[in-house]
Every structure is written in structure tokens, then in C-alpha cells.
Amino acid sequence: MGSVCIAACVIDPGSHFMQSWNNRFEALDISHLRSPAFAHPVAFEPNALVNFAIREGRTSELVDSPVCCWVPTTDLSAQGSLLKALPSSALFQDFCLSLEAELPHRWLTGTATSVCKDSSTGEFRVHYRAAAGERERTVVARAVILATGPVGKWNVPAPFGKLLASRLVLHTEELLIESRGTLREEITRRCPGEPARVLVIGGGISAAQAALAAFRAGHQVVLRSRRPLQTRAFDVSSDWLDVRHADRLRYEFLSLPIKSRRGAVREASSGGSVPATYMEEISRLSQSSTALQLEVDEEIDRSQVCLGPGGEHVVVNGDTFAMVILATGVVAAPSCSPLYHSVQELLEAPTIDGLPHVDNLLRWVPGEDLFVLGANAVLELGPGGGNLLGAMRGARVVANELCRLMRKPSDGQKVGPARSIFSNKYAGVLDGSEPEIDVLVQRLHLSAKAETALKKASKHRSATKGTRGVILPHGGPTPFRRPRVSG
């Protein structure tokens, strides 16, 4: 089919790929990823990370996953078994560095502020600032991908908000943004000298890491959550990573009304969880030492919070603490970002419950080559949209569309609408017959709602059979013009 040359231009506040990711892992002292080894940036090659570990002689850094009864891919070879392993943070970081060295791209350090469109050329203009106080610069491109990571506001329990500006209350996101070293180092800076009481609020992996960091720094720790801590190997059920179940779950998710999908994502993630290794250590320490206590308080948002005498302590429901750590995450709300807001206003981009309402090709606006990836596209990507597996799925969809965009028909023929090769597989293979659907429903254990949606999809496919356009137009490669930078 020939090659396609795409000049990728990246605008990011950091100086290189994965900088924010690496800072987070270093700050929270995370030794291994929570995602299996087949989840990584090389979207079309599940074995890429495992192959890298083999070449580098570092397979010992692939540790066994705590979940054994699941099948990650159709690769059943001995090497394929390593795809279930959890890679070390160091191995994953070095793997990504090797990819960065091979990837042709132009890196612009700065913060994207807005997107507009040139009506005369049809090209996008992305405005960004390289540093505070500097004048705005512009990048011109034919397609724009918003892959910003979760955008929103810190989730701060209301009673603690008034003290967030003090040194007595720390949100974990603050530490990560300011790159102030590890969490343990920050705790030591704020609580020097004698062992102190530290309150950690949260029920997920960050809360567990914060509690352990404070404990290892020699302090007495109370880990308080809205419900009892729950453990899970991954941030979603392992069925979403199992090749035998993932497509069915995804189909049932996409069969839901669009306004119900965000709730389904919340239900699938169940409000955060703690990996087994952390849970085992926390449980052991809480049972063997009085220096780590686990508490459940469903009324955290109604806590009585104030500063103690002299303003050197925080009093929470009558208990005194030298420091409070909020490991409560971020509430996704991309519309509060100037960048996303500019797209909404300019192109009347639709949103649902504050999230971009993208189509099945991850386009935010019909007919526009402007895509959204990651946690901000969970209404289409589904549970896990913000993790590595969601990133891979989204990258495959967008890569498919960019290839189509770069190619033009050589004979002047019009190209029919492309049907994404990454849509649900099951609806695509049916001929619409009732017996075939019944077999599929039985084998996949589909719900009644999914069965109804499947029948509708099959009837629509039968009615339009023979009118579909090709997925990728014919013709030679059309190089992507190198982005122009002005200002």
C-alpha cells in the first residue's frame, strides 16, 4: 500500500515524552505498573514491550500478574505468557525512551491554549505559550489530536478546601504538578523532627501509597476512606483485559444510551481500588502496629475541620493531625480547560455531562479531523479509556483515520464513507439472520438490551449491504505537510 509520511508536532509543557508519567511514578515510589505488558504505546504490536525486555535481558523485571485465569491476547506461545506480566517502572520507562528516539516528531515545549480554523485553507491553528509571560505562538496542522490526559479539577472534600493553601493540607496532584520530589520527602519537609500524626484521605492506589510513604517516614498514620478498601489487580475488572470477554463488554457498553455511559464507567471502576501487594502490606501493618490505622467514614464530606491553636495543626472531628494528605484524585471536566472550551465555542463541539461527545472514530465534531484520546474520550472508549489499554485502542482508531486522511484517490473517484475496522466485531460479521444472532447471544451471554441492539445493527447492515465504501482509499502516499510554526 506504500508508506505515508506524517510529520508529528507535539505541544506539551514538559521537555520530552512521558515526563509527567515518570514524575508521578517517582513521586509515589511506584515500582511496577498496574497494567500488563501488552499495554504500551506501540498500539499495533502487543509483543513490543516483551520483545524489548528479551533483547535487553530484562525479563526478570516482568513480574507475575496476581490474576491467573484470563487470556490477554490470542498469542498462546511461551513468549505470549509474558504478556500477562506487570513490567517494572524502570523497564517501561526505558522502553518508551527507545520509542522516542525512533519516532520522527517535532517537540514544542509549551501549553496549548486554544484551537481555531483557517476558513480559507481548512487548516487548524493551535495557539500555545512556551512560557509564562511570553507571546503566543501558533502551529498550523491538518489534524489535531487532544491527548492531554485527564482534564478537570482536583477532587477536594469541601471541609478541607479552605485549608488547601496552607502547608498543613496537601493534595497529591499538587506534589506531582510542582515536581517536588517524592511524597515521602515532602512529608518529611512538612513534618520535620518528632513523629507526627498524619491523616490520609482516599480509597485508591494513591491513598495506599501516601499512607505507606508517611508510615515509612516514621509517622503515625490514619488512612480514612468513604468505604472499606477494596483490592483489584487492575483499575478495571480483568474481564476487560481478557480477549474472551472484552469485545462483548465493549459492545454492551456501546449499546447503552450515551447519557448512561459515564455512570457505567464509574461503576466499572468502582471508585478506586488498591492492588493486592499494597493491600497485603497495609493490612499487615495495621494489624501489627498502632502506627497505621484504617478507618471508614461515609461522612468525610461533612467532617468538622479547623486549625488548631497557633495554626500548627489541623483538627478533624476532634482529632489533631500535623498534616492531611488528600489522595482523592481529579474530577474529569475538560470543559473547564481553556483549550477544550475554545474548541467547544468555535466548532460547537458537543458534550455530555462535561465530557466530549466523540463519535466512534473519536472525532469530536462531525467532518472535522479533530480527535480526543484518553480519559476525556471515555464515552466512546469505555472503562479503561484513561489507562494504557484505552490509549492503545484510541491510537489504533486515530491512526486508521489519519492514514485515510493522508491518502487521496489517484483516479479522481469519490471515496465512500469509511467504516471503522475497530467497531464492534460481532455486529460486522452477522448477516442479520435470527438463528445466527441466537447463537451469538448464547455464546456471549449477552443481556436482553445488548441482544436488541445487536438485532437493530444487523438489520441496518443488511439494508445497506453493498453500499459501503472502502476503509482506505486507493492511490499513492500523500506526505503530511510539516507543521508551520509562526510567532
Side-chain angles (χ1 to χ4, degrees):
M1 295 177 64
S3 61
V4 178
C5 178
I6 299 178
C9 181
V10 181
I11 302 175
D12 188 271
S15 59
H16 56 272
F17 282 111
M18 307 293 291
Q19 182 171 336
S20 177
W21 172 289
N22 293 334
N23 289 344
R24 176 179 293 270
F25 272 59
E26 179 182 357
L28 297 177
D29 193 24
I30 303 175
S31 62
H32 284 78
L33 271 64
R34 199 176 185 182
S35 297
F38 75 91
H40 49 70
V42 188
F44 292 95
E45 299 178 33
N47 291 57
L49 177 54
V50 168
N51 290 338
F52 176 81
I54 293 174
R55 288 196 306 271
E56 298 293 317
R58 299 173 63 176
T59 54
S60 61
E61 295 182 53
L62 297 170
V63 303
D64 290 339
S65 166
V67 180
C68 59
C69 298
W70 63 287
V71 180
T73 71
T74 55
D75 185 350
L76 302 179
S77 66
Q79 179 176 321
S81 64
L82 292 175
L83 297 173
K84 298 175 65 172
L86 306 181
S88 72
S89 301
L91 175 65
F92 188 79
Q93 181 176 349
D94 290 343
F95 171 67
C96 292
L97 284 173
S98 71
L99 298 179
E100 181 177 0
E102 299 175 358
L103 177 67
H105 67 282
R106 182 175 185 182
W107 187 279
L108 299 175
T109 298
T111 301
T113 57
S114 63
V115 177
C116 63
K117 192 171 185 182
D118 189 323
S119 58
S120 61
T121 64
E123 294 176 315
F124 291 102
R125 295 181 178 271
V126 181
H127 305 287
Y128 75 101
R129 293 189 183 279
E134 289 195 8
R135 61 192 180 94
E136 198 171 69
R137 303 182 182 186
T138 304
V139 172
V140 179
R142 289 175 60 186
V144 175
I145 303 170
L146 300 178
T148 61
V151 176
K153 298 179 179 180
W154 297 351
N155 184 13
V156 178
F160 297 90
K162 57 187 177 183
L163 301 182
L164 195 59
S166 73
R167 287 183 53 81
L168 303 178
V169 178
L170 169 72
H171 197 289
T172 51
E173 292 296 318
E174 176 185 351
L175 174 71
L176 301 172
I177 289 175
E178 297 182 0
S179 300
R180 297 175 59 88
T182 68
L183 180 56
R184 181 173 176 176
E185 292 170 345
E186 182 66 15
I187 293 171
T188 300
R189 279 193 291 267
R190 298 195 182 202
C191 299
E194 297 294 325
R197 296 192 76 209
V198 175
L199 173 64
V200 178
I201 293 179
I205 184 173
S206 295
Q209 291 158 341
L212 290 173
F215 177 86
R216 291 164 183 162
H219 301 296
Q220 293 183 324
V221 184
V222 175
L223 174 54
R224 186 173 294 168
S225 55
R226 291 184 175 88
R227 52 172 174 71
L229 297 179
Q230 64 175 358
T231 185
R232 190 166 54 217
F234 312 112
D235 55 353
V236 293
S237 167
S238 60
D239 282 352
W240 283 94
L241 285 72
D242 194 324
V243 69
R244 300 167 300 180
H245 305 292
D247 284 327
R248 171 180 59 82
L249 291 172
R250 177 162 168 73
Y251 183 81
E252 292 190 345
F253 172 79
L254 294 176
S255 296
L256 294 172
I258 188 69
K259 293 185 177 180
S260 301
R261 294 183 188 176
R262 190 168 193 178
V265 170
R266 291 195 191 100
E267 184 178 348
S269 60
S270 300
S273 60
V274 180
T277 52
Y278 290 111
M279 181 68 89
E280 290 171 3
E281 186 172 5
I282 286 177
S283 298
R284 177 178 57 81
L285 293 174
S286 65
Q287 293 171 7
S288 62
S289 172
T290 58
L292 178 58
Q293 300 176 8
L294 304 181
E295 296 182 358
V296 176
D297 182 3
E298 297 179 355
E299 303 296 320
I300 286 177
D301 291 316
R302 297 184 177 86
S303 299
Q304 300 297 316
V305 181
C306 64
L307 290 178
E312 297 182 354
H313 295 86
V314 180
V315 181
V316 181
N317 297 335
D319 290 336
T320 301
F321 298 94
M323 180 181 182
V324 176
I325 302 175
L326 302 177
T328 46
V330 175
V331 179
S335 57
C336 71
S337 159
L339 175 62
Y340 284 79
H341 186 67
S342 72
V343 176
Q344 282 184 255
E345 286 197 329
L346 173 69
L347 301 175
E348 298 182 353
T351 61
I352 299 290
D353 196 18
L355 291 174
H357 182 188
V358 297
D359 63 16
N360 66 316
L361 299 177
L362 300 181
R363 277 188 172 84
W364 193 358
V365 180
E368 300 287 355
D369 293 311
L370 190 148
F371 306 88
V372 181
L373 291 180
N376 302 312
V378 294
L379 296 181
E380 174 62 30
L381 291 175
N387 63 23
L388 286 170
L389 282 173
M392 291 182 75
R393 185 185 306 125
R396 288 193 294 266
V397 172
V398 173
N400 179 52
E401 284 303 289
L402 289 181
C403 284
R404 187 188 62 79
L405 172 66
M406 295 306 105
R407 296 179 180 276
K408 295 180 180 179
S410 58
D411 54 5
Q413 293 181 356
K414 292 184 177 180
V415 178
R419 181 163 61 90
S420 173
I421 61 175
F422 304 109
S423 297
N424 185 271
K425 301 175 182 178
Y426 301 126
V429 300
L430 294 178
D431 60 10
S433 66
E434 293 290 336
E436 190 174 14
I437 293 177
D438 291 340
V439 171
L440 188 59
V441 168
Q442 182 178 4
R443 290 184 177 178
L444 297 178
H445 307 289
L446 293 180
S447 66
K449 183 179 294 186
E451 180 182 355
T452 300
L454 184 60
K455 290 179 179 178
K456 289 182 179 179
S458 299
K459 289 179 179 178
H460 174 74
R461 182 174 183 272
S462 297
T464 58
K465 189 173 182 180
T467 63
R468 296 285 187 181
V470 295
I471 295 175
L472 294 178
H474 299 290
T478 302
F480 191 102
R481 180 162 57 254
R482 183 173 297 279
R484 299 193 298 274
V485 181
S486 61

